[in-house]
Amino acid sequence: MAITVAAMETWLNRLLGAAPDAPRLPLKGFLEGIGQLESLVDVPSGTPVLVRGDTDCKPGEKVGKGDIRLRSMAETLNYGRSKGWIQVIFGHIGRDPKGSLDKVRARLAEILGCEVGFVADWLDPQSATILDAVPQAIRAAAPGSVILLENTRKYDVETVLWKAKPKDVPALAPKLAKLANEFAEKVAKVYVHEAFSAGSLDSSSTVVPAAMDRVALGKYEAGEFWGPLMDCLDAQLVVSSGLKIDKLDDLTAMIDRGKIRWVFTGGSLAMGLKKAAAELEGQTFCVGVAEDPAHADKPYYIPPARVEQAKKLIAEGRQKGIRFVMPVDFVLQDGRVSTTIGPGDQQLDVGPATGDYFEQKIGEFLDEVKSQSTPAVAFHNGVLGMFEDPKFEAGTRRFMTQLKRMKDAGVKVYVGGGEGGKALEKYGKEDWVTHNFTAGGTVLNALGSEPVPYLVALWMASNKASEK
């Protein structure tokens, strides 16, 4: 049944958290309300199935290089092939609307060992109408076929929700309802989400499910959520760092679960916490340009309100016995190592004394948990400095060895993908940790303060939360 414009308005308001009945559930609550791939076992051969795929990758010269996200889809796609479904995959690559999935199509064909069809132009952007080339390709496809649609971000409608506010919903609903209905009428009414990393408010992940008859999580995605992520909810130690202070929200949510006992920080998050800790003790601590209002438009800027939030977090955390481990020296923009930061300075890495201090505290953590009857869990997210530049990589490179140290001591060590995952690949080895996620943003959402948008959409679709 088609979704009406009014129902799409309701859907979007719930998705944006603006409706009184917007789903507000713990991660497990969302997952329990969404079917897994096996729930579609009765879908007949020859049925078109729409697959939101994890296509955002850069395949290297051979299978196994730069294509982990495509390989993560293989089990789901092979299941669909064994059932005789005609699977139509759609997804994005990067943020450039001119980016093409042509090389992704070729690598996916190698991974699956079959031909993968390709439709380069599939949508009229003005009317949000699916072009005839798509249903024609589906009609011509044999059972078990796989077809890939070109980069979804080629079309503006894919990203219109990125900055949308509730006040924008009435203007957006007609076109988004049309898009969802077009997919249901001309492509498929069965939808599988197998794009673990697709954590943005992309229409392909959050709007199209509104018009589907049946939806399900893919094999890999369900495994990540029900396995490693459930472990991370019980983490006793978290390493959280990065350029943006808004990770403070995610850290707060993680701490509020009551399991975390140790917090190691770097980047802007550490700067906010350092300043907050000093003020709690009646002292001052300058974080340089990060607190200069002239830099308010920069991602590393720390507003006064964030310092107040950090003070509350530290004060309440210390009452619960949480240890906050923060840098004690810094590598500044000109390469100087200093224990202080001047008004015009910017810290771009932690210094050697911090490396020593962090290693000491990791040792204390290991002593504390060695007598536990079950393995302790540590979650690492982000990097300790601007590691892309060799002048500011030492802190991150050194800390990677601490992940191995913890795993060797019996701790379950999880890396939250993103930059932390890139640092592990650059400075360490895969077996240094228990698991390295393929998606940083999705993991932070799942563990942090906001739900994963596509889980909200799939839960609503599964529970008929919108009136179609």
Side-chain angles (χ1 to χ4, degrees), residues 68-79:
I68 187 171
R69 289 179 176 175
L70 298 183
R71 286 182 282 120
S72 77
M73 297 162 54
E75 188 175 5
T76 286
L77 295 175
N78 283 329
Y79 179 87

Side-chain angles (χ1 to χ4, degrees), residues 41 66 178 189 210 235 295 320 324 383 388:
V41 66
K178 175 71 179 298
K189 291 181 170 64
H295 292 250
K320 299 172 183 176
F324 291 90
V383 290
E388 302 91 340

Side-chain angles (χ1 to χ4, degrees), residues 357-379:
Y357 180 57
F358 280 11
E359 290 179 10
Q360 173 196 335
K361 292 301 177 182
I362 291 292
E364 292 179 18
F365 164 70
L366 293 177
D367 287 340
E368 184 179 279
V369 301
K370 65 183 179 182
S371 60
Q372 286 185 186
S373 57
T374 57
V377 177
F379 174 69

Side-chain angles (χ1 to χ4, degrees), residues 28 63 71 154 173 266 389 424:
K28 190 174 182 181
V63 173
R71 286 182 282 120
K154 176 179 180 178
D389 187 328
L424 177 65

Side-chain angles (χ1 to χ4, degrees), residues 288-304 343-344:
V289 295
E291 63 183 340
D292 183 350
H295 292 250
D297 61 334
K298 301 295 192 295
Y300 53 76
Y301 177 67
I302 303 170

